[in-house]
């Protein structure tokens, strides 16, 4: 119920200021939450599409210090829409503005998405980058997954 109640206020805020990355980002968050709890497939997809539109606008209007959050949220939204190519593009945008400590996570996710798309070469490239940037306690799991991908035909 809370996401549904917040939407009218956020739309009103956009009427007052169409250049607010914060409002677009918050509206994207509300719509993403509505998609996540929706039991209706058509409504779920519509909420995800609306969330993506708002996150895209937030990325366009935001500064680098906030664009990382919006780009990751946009990527997650595209995953929700099962549009993995767009999700990869959004995660690549996130890489361009990510804090150094987050880079390995994004590389891992990109590698996993490429693996889901059966693009083994790209998957391995990004998984190796994840290994290179990961903290020591995460490397073993990444190496294991990369090796599993490499062992597949």
């Amino acid at each position: 119920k809370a996401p549904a109640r917040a939407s009218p206020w956020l739309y009103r805020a956009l009427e007052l200021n169409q250049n607010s990355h914060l409002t677009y980002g918050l509206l994207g968050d509300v719509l993403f939450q509505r998609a996540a709890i929706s039991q209706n497939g058509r409504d779920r997809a519509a909420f995800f599409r609306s969330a993506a539109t708002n996150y895209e606008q937030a990325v366009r209007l935001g500064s680098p210090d906030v664009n990382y959050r919006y780009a990751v949220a946009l990527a997650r939204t595209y995953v929700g829409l099962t549009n993995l190519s767009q999700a990869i593009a959004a995660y690549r945008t996130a890489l361009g503005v990510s804090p150094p400590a987050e880079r390995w996570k994004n590389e891992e996710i990109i590698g996993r998405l490429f693996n889901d798309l059966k693009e083994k070469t790209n998957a391995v490239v990004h998984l190796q980058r994840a290994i290179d940037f990961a903290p020591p306690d995460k490397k073993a799991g990444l190496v294991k997954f990369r090796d599993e991908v490499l062992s597949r035909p």
Side-chain angles (χ1 to χ4, degrees):
K1 295 275 184 193
R5 287 194 305 263
S7 297
W9 294 105
L10 291 170
Y11 284 115
R12 177 67 180 133
L14 285 178
E15 289 175 11
L16 298 173
N17 181 2
Q18 296 179 2
N19 294 315
S20 172
H21 67 82
L22 181 60
T23 305
Y24 282 107
L26 289 171
L27 189 53
D29 291 344
V30 166
L31 292 164
F32 185 93
Q33 289 174 8
R34 290 186 74 182
I37 62 174
S38 177
Q39 300 297 315
N40 180 302
R42 185 174 296 179
D43 289 346
R44 182 178 173 88
F47 285 133
F48 274 136
R49 283 192 298 275
S50 293
T53 298
N54 283 280
Y55 286 137
E56 287 166 354
Q57 190 66 10
V59 168
R60 278 193 285 281
L61 294 171
S63 58
D65 61 320
V66 294
N67 276 353
Y68 175 72
R69 186 184 86 72
Y70 298 143
V72 169
L74 178 59
R76 290 178 48 232
T77 302
Y78 283 131
V79 170
L81 287 166
T82 63
N83 187 336
L84 302 187
S85 295
Q86 286 291 94
I88 289 168
Y91 275 115
R92 284 181 165 161
T93 297
L95 279 174
V97 292
S98 71
E102 299 293 312
R103 182 176 178 130
W104 73 273
K105 294 175 192 174
N106 293 307
E107 292 286 5
E108 176 188 8
I109 293 168
I110 293 170
R112 288 180 181 277
L113 291 171
F114 273 123
N115 183 59
D116 291 346
L117 290 171
K118 308 292 188 234
E119 294 186 28
K120 180 178 177 176
T121 301
N122 285 324
V124 170
V125 165
H126 287 279
L127 291 170
Q128 184 58 52
R129 288 180 188 160
I131 293 164
D132 294 344
F133 291 107
D137 64 318
K138 303 295 181 186
K139 288 185 187 283
L142 292 167
V143 168
K144 181 179 177 188
F145 184 65
R146 183 211 51 206
D147 291 348
E148 288 173 14
V149 171
L150 280 170
S151 71
R152 296 183 194 135

